[in-house]
Structure formats: structure tokens, C-alpha cells
Amino acid sequence: MQIKRWVAQGFSGLDDFAFVDAELGEPGPGEVTIAIEAAGVNPADLKHVTRGGDPAKLPIPIGYEVAGRIAALGPDTTIASGGGAVGDPVLAFRIYGGYATAITAPAVDVFARPAPLPVEQAANLLLAGTTAAEMLDRVHASAGEVIVVHAASGAVGAIVLQFARLRGITAIGTCGERSDELVRGFGGIPVRYGDGLLDRIREAAPGPVVAALDCAGTDEAVDASLALVADRDRIVTVAAPARARQDGFHALAGNNPDSARFRDGVRAELIELAGRGELVVPMAGSYPLTDAVAALRLVSEGHAGGNVALLPESH
């Protein structure tokens, strides 16, 4: 099968990205070929490249999550959620090369896509969703407690808010001035960034803040977290690993084996919640697959205002 896909031909960043022709072979045992209808765009897609690595591995396919339909199944192969037939709607996460018109992926990473779940949301559900679930799990938050979520209107933060609401946890969500309603709509209490942040969080909180979840990575967010939460085992970041090492709290990363196991284990639950409408992926919009560089630049700079999907021309 002839496909088009985005690859990184070097480690310098977006300037090294290229949209190339490729040949996709038939899926083998335990593999599924997916005709892609939407690909999720995440900052991790660029970070994966700019970390550098072995030049022998170039070119590197880009993209960790997709939604589409089964185009072919390998011999004696069923998908992770069971069954699977050509034409079935699916989504996949922890795959490589999602910025493409089609991909062959391990069947253990492919799940049936619930009919009510829009394809753009499906393509953006699992990276942010599994990260959010792990953050909340790592700080041991439970019903009746108060937590603070930094960058609460972002892709991960908005899902943390929804998990917190489902579990009876009160979440203070720090955000910019244009995101108050989004944070409030997902069950959080919005608090603006900027001078006086710590005092505003304390004023808004209906009780002691017992945990802090940082999706922002700024010194402002980390300093406020350290001031609010005495137990550093209940502070976690996905955006400030250097501060985590310096100040003795948790930094999460999807390539950590423990994180990978946890995230793999919650995928089915997240899909079920999203299929029932209990978990919504906030979307900022979509780009044609040919404009992947512009989409990834927007998302990586933190200005998207929601999730972004790439759509092949055939969709």
C-alpha cells in the first residue's frame, strides 16, 4: 500500500520534518493496518525528535495516536478490545508514525472506537487522558480533597478536571483570562495566572490544598505548589523535570517503564468513559495532514487553546 507520512530526517526540530511517500506492507500476525481518519497532535511528538539519538534510526516517523478504520488484519489477529474486522472504527495509542494516511500497528495498541466519540476527539484522547489519569493516581487524591491543577485549560489539565469531578475531588484550576469558562465547565474552580497567584489559590480553595498537579512547567506554578503542599510525594509535574529533581517531587514521563505500564492499563477505561460522554476532549480545531508542521508548532508553543487533529485529505 502506498502511503504518505511525516518523518523527521534529523534532530533539530520542525525544519527537519518532511512529508514523504512510503510503502506499507501487509500486516503480520498480531498487527493491524489502520486507514487514518485523524491523528492527534501533541508536544511530545516534537520532543521525541529533539531529544536526539542514534542517526542510524533516521528518518523517524512522527505521531503517537490516531483514529481511523481497520484496513487489514494480520493472520489470527484480534485487537486489544476483542474482535476486529475490516472497516471497523478504531483508535490506537503508543504507536509510531501516526502523522500518515495509514499505519500498521501492534494489535495490542488498537481499540474499538465507540460510535458516539467524534474521530478528532478519539485521536486525541489517550496520550492526554492516560497522562492525566497517572497524575491523579500518583498524588493519591480521593473524594472530598482539594487539589490544584496548573494549566488546567490545556489538553492534560482539562481531563484531570473531569476525572476529579467524577471522583468527588475539588480542583482549583490555574489558567489564563480567556479560559475561566472552560475550567468551570469541566468542574474546576478557575484562578488566574500572574502576580498574587498563591493568594488567589488560597482564597478560592474551600479547604486545605493537599496535592498539586503541574501541567504548566513554569517556576510560578512549581513555587505555588511547593508553598501549598507540604508532602512532596503529593506534588507531580509533567512539564518541569529539572525542578522536580531539584526540589524532590515527582516528574512523570511516558517512556518510564512504570508510567508505560500504568498508561497501558487505563486505556480501555478512558475509551469507555469517552464513549459514554463522561469524558470530553476539548478541541481547538483541525489541520490538513499536509500542514502538520504548522499544527505541531502551534501546539508545542502552548497557544492552541485545546487539542488539534490532523486530517488526511481522504477524510
Side-chain angles (χ1 to χ4, degrees):
M1 177 191 297
Q2 284 290 319
I3 67 167
K4 296 283 287 187
R5 67 177 183 176
W6 282 94
V7 298
Q9 297 178 324
F11 299 114
S12 297
L14 293 174
D15 288 343
D16 285 333
F17 279 37
F19 196 41
V20 301
D21 295 306
E23 177 71 25
L24 199 63
E26 292 294 319
E31 293 184 329
V32 179
T33 298
I34 301 170
I36 295 172
E37 296 176 325
V41 181
N42 297 283
D45 301 337
L46 181 57
K47 292 176 183 176
H48 170 66
V49 173
T50 54
R51 281 197 298 263
D54 183 357
K57 294 182 179 179
L58 297 170
I60 299 172
I62 308 299
Y64 290 123
E65 57 182 340
V66 300
R69 292 183 179 273
I70 295 176
L73 283 160
D76 302 317
T77 295
T78 58
I79 63 175
S81 50
V86 171
D88 284 356
V90 292
L91 67 158
F93 171 56
R94 299 186 72 81
I95 51 92
Y96 296 94
Y99 289 19
T101 53
I103 188 173
T104 295
V108 294
D109 296 319
V110 181
F111 295 81
R113 188 174 87 234
L117 183 61
V119 68
E120 294 88 351
Q121 289 194 35
N124 281 277
L125 170 65
L126 290 179
L127 193 152
T130 59
T131 302
E134 186 185 9
M135 292 182 80
L136 206 52
D137 179 79
R138 185 61 65 96
V139 299
H140 314 295
S142 57
E145 293 188 317
V146 180
I147 65 173
V148 63
V149 182
H150 295 292
S153 65
V156 175
I159 296 182
V160 171
L161 294 180
Q162 294 175 74
F163 279 143
R165 178 169 60 185
L166 287 170
R167 299 176 186 181
I169 300 164
T170 298
I172 309 296
T174 69
C175 60
E177 62 180 335
R178 294 181 297 175
S179 300
D180 285 8
E181 288 307 311
L182 187 149
V183 169
R184 193 174 287 113
F186 286 134
I189 300 171
V191 170
R192 301 279 179 84
Y193 299 134
D195 292 343
L197 174 65
L198 182 58
D199 290 337
R200 288 193 296 276
I201 293 172
R202 285 173 169 154
E203 183 177 350
V209 175
V210 300
L213 293 77
D214 170 43
C215 307
T218 62
D219 285 336
E220 175 188 60
V222 172
D223 291 343
S225 299
L226 294 169
L228 289 163
V229 181
D231 183 355
R232 296 193 179 184
D233 194 46
R234 303 194 75 182
I235 301 173
V236 65
T237 185
V238 291
R243 286 296 305 268
R245 290 190 296 270
Q246 174 185 310
D247 294 301
F249 57 93
H250 296 294
L252 302 183
N255 59 0
N256 177 283
D258 290 337
S259 290
R261 280 191 292 272
F262 179 92
R263 297 181 192 195
D264 284 350
V266 297
R267 291 179 296 183
E269 178 187 354
L270 298 182
I271 295 167
E272 183 178 348
L273 287 171
R276 295 201 303 259
E278 296 180 25
L279 192 62
V280 175
V281 181
M283 297 299 301
S286 60
Y287 281 68
L289 178 62
T290 51
D291 290 344
V293 168
L296 186 50
R297 179 178 289 112
L298 177 70
V299 169
S300 297
E301 291 174 351
H303 303 314
N307 294 79
V308 172
L310 296 175
L311 307 181
E313 290 182 7
S314 60
H315 177 61

